[in-house]
């Protein structure tokens, strides 16, 4: 059974990957279609989806920082990642390792008192 910290990390990973993919689609597909082919619709729709995922990512980072008791430096790093292409993918590697460590946490530590 997955513990609550592991679920928080899993949620952040899923949202981070989705946000990163939407950012790349916006930058590498929608923007060239707009400026090379003159069709602004892909930017409109991809931008809207990316905006929703961006907000979800910000809240997921806040939730993770609170639940996992992150320090300010780590919190800022994860928030800044949403502005840099590929950064959410790079940080996902670290989160995957942390999630695996949480899954190995002894069952006795997860039981409510």
């Amino acid at each position: 059974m997955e513990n609550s910290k592991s679920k928080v990390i899993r949620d952040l990973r899923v949202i981070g990957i989705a946000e990163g993919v939407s950012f790349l689609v916006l930058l590498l597909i929608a923007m060239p279609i707009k400026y090379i082919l003159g069709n602004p619709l892909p930017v409109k729709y991809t931008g809207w989806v990316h905006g929703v995922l961006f907000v979800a990512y910000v809240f997921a980072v806040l939730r993770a920082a609170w639940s996992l008791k992150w320090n300010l430096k780590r919190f800022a790093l994860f928030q800044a990642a949403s502005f840099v292409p590929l950064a959410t993918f790079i940080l996902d590697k670290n989160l995957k390792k942390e999630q695996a460590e949480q899954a190995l946490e002894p069952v006795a530590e997860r039981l409510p008192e």
Side-chain angles (χ1 to χ4, degrees):
M1 181 179 226
E2 200 173 29
N3 66 32
S4 63
K5 289 181 180 181
S6 185
K7 287 179 186 176
V8 168
I9 295 169
R10 182 202 61 212
D11 293 347
L12 178 58
R13 289 185 65 212
V14 168
I15 294 169
I17 295 295
E19 192 271 343
V21 168
S22 73
F23 195 19
L24 291 177
V25 169
L26 182 62
L27 292 177
L28 301 176
I29 297 172
M31 295 292 280
I33 290 173
K34 177 179 180 177
Y35 291 106
I36 294 171
L37 301 177
N39 182 358
L41 286 180
V43 170
K44 178 180 179 179
Y45 297 117
T46 308
W48 184 85
V49 169
H50 173 67
V52 169
L53 289 170
F54 174 83
V55 171
Y57 180 78
V58 168
F59 281 109
V61 170
L62 284 168
R63 178 178 172 224
W66 179 265
S67 299
L68 305 173
K69 297 176 180 28
W70 287 356
N71 61 32
L72 183 59
K73 182 179 176 182
R74 187 160 196 219
F75 170 73
L77 175 68
F78 274 81
Q79 288 294 357
S82 63
F83 296 101
V84 180
L86 303 177
T88 57
F89 302 112
I90 294 166
L91 292 177
D92 182 68
K93 181 180 177 183
N94 179 273
L95 287 174
K96 185 176 182 179
K97 180 181 174 186
E98 190 174 335
Q99 185 179 17
E101 290 169 0
Q102 288 294 329
L104 295 176
E105 183 179 289
V107 175
E109 292 180 19
R110 293 187 226 157
L111 295 175
E113 294 180 21

